[in-house]
Amino acid sequence: MRAAADPDVSKDLPDFDLARFLPYRVTVVGEHLSAGLARRYRAEFGISVAEWRVLVHLADAGTVSIRDLERRVHLEKSKASRAASRLAREGYVTKVPDLSDRRLVCLSLSDRGRSLMADLLPLAAAYQARLEAVVGNSLRDLEAALDRLMQEDL
Amino acid sequence: MRAAADPDVSKDLPDFDLARFLPYRVTVVGEHLSAGLARRYRAEFGISVAEWRVLVHLADAGTVSIRDLERRVHLEKSKASRAASRLAREGYVTKVPDLSDRRLVCLSLSDRGRSLMADLLPLAAAYQARLEAVVGNSLRDLEAALDRLMQEDL
DNA sequence: AGGAAATCGTTGCACTTGAGACGATGACAC
DNA sequence: GTGTCATCGTCTCAAGTGCAACGATTTCCT
């Protein structure tokens, strides 16, 4: 017979339900939501998610540096740098050195980029509206919960 | 003077707040939550997020195939295949052909893998408990909202 | 039985990613 | 000024990724 407490490896592991594990669950939903819109702007304009974030921030902040992107839209600096370079190469953004601090770059939308965003932003707004309809009247709670989770230092 | 309606590119773009855009927001929170725990098991055991998901599923399903992983824990099959291979190489899982259908592989935890999970699962359970405490009594609403967003075909 | 079609896991390929090193620039103390 | 330190953006390198193609198997249909 075996002892009741068995420290060796043949012992049963504690139950664990990945489907209820918040890091997993939130990540999967995030990928699902992002992919839904990204599929469209990737097929139509060849834009990646990182490039989309850069464009959105440019559309509402005007002129930004790589470091601003890093802090405001959660892109690591190498990722932000490469996304900005691609967008500049495609002609969607202009990239010039900042004259008052020549370590920085000034990124801003070109005419072509503004024209792109004139197409993209209404699409995204409609998508957001659709998601909010799905969530319904618990949107406030959802946002509050996400905020609290985000503030938590883990 | 300029006409009121101006179709050219110099027109202002619609306002758009990325910080309230659900795909962005949910994704960022998901990364934040995942990174909080992943940092620990990566530093301590050299395990990636994909490998973690494989291990968890093995811990509670016993024996699974690559295809099961693909469907149950949202890993593309090449990602699942490589994660399983790495874990097999490290000795955490055993990988043998399925005798009743030789297209499939049978993955299961080795003794070493079970021992690893005996350390990891309590850690994850504590982490989950901490997150649930942060969310508080709106946990039900949060889960329901995530479910509804997940079911939506986008 | 026998051939077409579907399924499974792996791999080759081109691309992306994260982490750190690096040169260039600026801020600060003395 | 001058030296030290911090900051910014890019680049390099190894590792990871998505996708499609592939061989091996099984299933289905007749």
Side-chain angles (χ1 to χ4, degrees):
Chain A
M1 77 165 44
R2 293 170 60 104
D6 183 348
D8 86 352
V9 292
S10 62
K11 184 170 64 173
D12 279 354
L13 294 167
D15 278 347
F16 188 83
D17 187 2
L18 186 63
R20 278 213 175 85
F21 191 51
L22 279 170
Y24 168 75
R25 188 184 256 244
V26 175
T27 297
V28 169
V29 173
E31 288 172 0
H32 182 60
L33 301 184
S34 284
L37 185 63
R39 214 174 8 241
R40 301 173 63 175
Y41 58 64
R42 194 183 66 203
E44 212 162 336
F45 305 102
I47 299 296
S48 73
V49 174
E51 287 157 6
W52 153 256
R53 288 193 197 171
V54 171
L55 289 169
V56 168
H57 192 48
L58 284 175
D60 112 337
T63 288
V64 303
S65 66
I66 298 290
R67 164 178 144 272
D68 293 331
L69 290 172
E70 187 180 358
R71 296 180 181 169
R72 295 279 312 264
V73 299
H74 280 85
L75 288 177
E76 311 208 351
K77 68 176 180 178
S78 55
K79 211 168 171 178
S81 171
R82 291 192 254 239
S85 294
R86 277 190 294 260
L87 290 170
R89 190 182 338 126
E90 308 282 335
Y92 291 122
V93 316
T94 62
K95 179 163 72 169
V96 299
D98 184 322
L99 298 180
S100 70
D101 180 346
R102 289 187 319 199
R103 293 172 300 181
L104 281 61
V105 295
C106 283
L107 299 166
S108 51
L109 285 180
S110 67
D111 285 351
R112 184 166 181 225
R114 240 185 308 279
S115 159
L116 173 66
M117 293 315 277
D119 288 344
L120 238 40
L121 288 181
L123 216 68
Y127 191 75
Q128 170 78 2
R130 181 174 165 198
L131 296 182
E132 291 185 358
V134 169
V135 173
N137 55 13
S138 59
L139 178 61
R140 288 295 196 196
D141 288 340
L142 174 62
E143 289 184 332
L146 292 175
D147 274 344
R148 257 173 285 144
L149 289 170
M150 196 62 202
Q151 287 175 338
E152 194 72 2
D153 187 23
L154 299 172
Chain B
M1 75 161 48
R2 294 170 59 101
D6 183 348
D8 86 353
V9 292
S10 62
K11 183 170 63 172
D12 279 352
L13 294 168
D15 280 348
F16 188 83
D17 187 2
L18 187 63
R20 277 213 176 87
F21 190 50
L22 278 170
Y24 168 74
R25 188 184 255 243
V26 175
T27 296
V28 168
V29 173
E31 288 170 1
H32 182 59
L33 300 185
S34 284
L37 185 63
R39 214 173 10 240
R40 301 174 62 177
Y41 58 63
R42 195 183 64 204
E44 212 162 336
F45 304 102
I47 299 296
S48 73
V49 174
E51 287 156 5
W52 152 257
R53 288 192 197 172
V54 172
L55 290 169
V56 169
H57 192 46
L58 284 175
D60 110 340
T63 287
V64 303
S65 66
I66 299 291
R67 161 179 147 271
D68 293 331
L69 290 172
E70 186 181 359
R71 297 179 181 171
R72 295 278 313 262
V73 299
H74 280 86
L75 287 177
E76 311 209 350
K77 66 176 181 176
S78 56
K79 211 169 171 178
S81 171
R82 291 191 251 241
S85 294
R86 279 189 294 260
L87 290 170
R89 192 184 335 128
E90 309 282 336
Y92 292 121
V93 315
T94 62
K95 180 163 70 169
V96 300
D98 184 322
L99 297 180
S100 71
D101 181 345
R102 290 187 320 203
R103 293 171 300 183
L104 305 178
V105 295
C106 283
L107 300 167
S108 50
L109 287 180
S110 67
D111 285 351
R112 185 167 181 224
R114 241 185 307 279
S115 158
L116 173 66
M117 293 315 277
D119 288 343
L120 238 41
L121 288 181
L123 216 68
Y127 191 75
Q128 170 78 3
R130 179 174 167 199
L131 297 182
E132 290 184 0
V134 169
V135 172
N137 54 14
S138 59
L139 179 62
R140 288 294 196 195
D141 288 340
L142 174 62
E143 289 183 333
L146 291 175
D147 273 344
R148 256 173 286 144
L149 288 170
M150 195 62 200
Q151 286 175 340
E152 193 74 3
D153 187 23
L154 298 172

